Amino acid sequence: MLIKIKKENSIFNFSKTNTPIAKVKPKEKICIETKDALSDEIKSESQPFDSINWEKVNPATGPLFIEGAKEGDILEVNIENIKITREYGVMLTGKDMGVLGDSFERSFIKIVPIKENKAFLYDYEIPLKPMIGVIGTAPKEGSIPCGTPGEHGGNMDCNIIGEGATVYLPVNVEGALFALGDLHAAMGDGEVCVTGVEIPAEVFISFNILKDKDWKLPMVKTEKNIYTLASKPSLDEASLTATKNMVHFLNQEYKLSKEKAMFLLSAIGNLQICQVVDPLKTVRIELPLEFLK
């Protein structure tokens, strides 16, 4: 049986004080509806920019209480399918937004038609690569806005978190209190204008719970690669932490010494930028799974 979670059940902060909207079990099939990052409020390019309600940015559908998830566990999230549910995406850039925000005098809205598995941006036909921008669990203490990434996951804007990917997140409180949102039809590494092609969607997922693992999270696995991610105030700090976390993983799971892990990462690993426009910057380091058999 497929469990469907409606997009009207949204949060704007990850917190242990949020009331779960549903209880689910590991391996159950779940469909999560999402609003776009602007709460589906932008309908046209002529819409006044000051009509955007910034308090409703980056809604995440949830939270879900995962039965059996205990503090200290790892939540494994299997992303099985992403279905775009609207025929256009939305993009924003301009004054005080994105990498060049200080060079704009005003702000811009762009409606991007979506059809035939492509996004039509001006004269460019961009292949769709649906991905999840916000995905996370509640922190042990405090409240973290959905627009901020961190060790709990959150707004990592990592374009490898798409169909077929597996995301590993910490369980900081009983039930994990999982939520996701901020889907993109396409997004380049960096998200330099401040948005990807923002869309609502249906995300089909299932969970597993890993016990007795000492991993530094978040992590992501795809068919060919494994990644450790880190979000910090600067790209330098994020790069350092992502690399340390991968070295820790290689030691824990494959008994590689620090020097062996570093030689391996320097030979075949790839440091990659996820995003540079959120309150913290997110970096990932990629390691091909073929070297970890």
Side-chain angles (χ1 to χ4, degrees):
M1 183 179 72
L2 182 68
I3 299 170
K4 194 158 189 177
I5 308 297
K6 295 291 188 179
K7 63 183 178 181
E8 287 75 20
N9 300 295
S10 297
I11 58 172
F12 294 93
N13 293 274
F14 287 94
S15 171
K16 68 178 182 180
T17 63
N18 289 330
T19 302
I21 59 171
K23 287 188 175 183
V24 300
K25 297 177 181 178
K27 301 188 184 302
E28 287 186 320
K29 303 295 184 182
I30 304 162
C31 171
I32 299 180
E33 290 184 344
T34 69
K35 298 178 182 180
D36 73 17
L38 301 151
S39 290
D40 296 342
E41 292 191 345
I42 293 183
K43 311 296 183 185
S44 75
E45 294 178 1
S46 61
Q47 187 170 330
F49 203 84
D50 59 10
S51 69
I52 298 172
N53 184 349
W54 295 104
E55 293 184 358
K56 296 177 67 176
V57 170
N58 282 323
T61 305
L64 301 181
F65 185 102
I66 293 87
E67 294 184 13
K70 305 292 185 184
E71 182 179 345
D73 293 344
I74 293 175
L75 184 66
E76 179 184 275
V77 187
N78 300 297
I79 303 165
E80 296 166 5
N81 184 251
I82 297 174
K83 178 183 177 182
I84 299 172
T85 56
R86 193 174 65 195
E87 294 181 345
Y88 69 90
V90 174
M91 301 188 76
L92 305 177
T93 200
K95 188 175 181 180
D96 300 325
M97 291 188 294
V99 172
L100 298 183
D102 59 356
S103 68
F104 285 103
E105 295 298 322
R106 68 182 186 90
S107 297
F108 303 85
I109 297 172
K110 184 63 182 172
I111 299 295
V112 182
I114 294 173
K115 60 182 179 180
E116 299 172 355
N117 213 34
K118 295 177 182 177
F120 290 81
L121 179 63
Y122 300 111
D123 293 329
Y124 304 104
E125 298 182 10
I126 300 170
L128 299 185
K129 186 186 176 184
M131 52 147 296
I132 302 168
V134 173
I135 183 169
T137 55
K140 187 173 182 178
E141 299 292 342
S143 177
I144 302 176
C146 288
T148 300
E151 293 179 1
H152 70 296
N155 194 24
M156 298 181 288
D157 284 318
C158 177
N159 67 18
I160 61 166
I161 301 179
E163 293 180 345
T166 300
V167 182
Y168 300 94
L169 298 166
V171 178
N172 299 307
V173 300
E174 185 177 4
L177 300 184
F178 170 88
L180 66 77
D182 185 29
L183 273 286
H184 304 137
M187 191 200 83
D189 281 337
E191 199 185 26
V192 294
C193 88
V194 86
T195 69
V197 182
E198 308 290 336
I199 53 165
E202 293 179 342
V203 185
F204 296 82
I205 65 171
S206 62
F207 298 109
N208 284 310
I209 299 168
L210 306 185
K211 304 280 187 182
D212 303 318
K213 294 287 187 182
D214 180 18
W215 299 354
K216 305 295 185 182
L217 304 170
M219 293 181 63
V220 179
K221 184 174 69 176
T222 62
E223 181 181 2
K224 295 183 178 181
N225 302 300
I226 194 159
Y227 305 81
T228 49
L229 286 73
S231 300
K232 295 292 180 180
S234 73
L235 288 174
D236 285 351
E237 293 171 276
S239 298
L240 176 61
T241 301
T243 303
K244 283 183 175 180
N245 291 354
M246 182 64 84
V247 170
H248 178 84
F249 171 77
L250 293 173
N251 175 260
Q252 291 291 310
E253 293 298 314
Y254 296 94
K255 307 307 177 186
L256 292 188
S257 65
K258 187 184 299 183
E259 66 272 18
K260 285 183 179 179
M262 285 301 289
F263 284 142
L264 181 64
L265 290 174
S266 202
I268 58 168
N270 294 299
L271 270 174
Q272 301 166 341
I273 293 172
C274 297
Q275 59 77 26
V276 296
V277 294
D278 295 333
L280 300 175
K281 319 304 181 192
T282 305
V283 167
R284 64 184 182 262
I285 189 165
E286 172 190 82
L287 184 62
L289 287 169
E290 65 180 297
F291 292 92
L292 299 179
K293 291 179 181 178

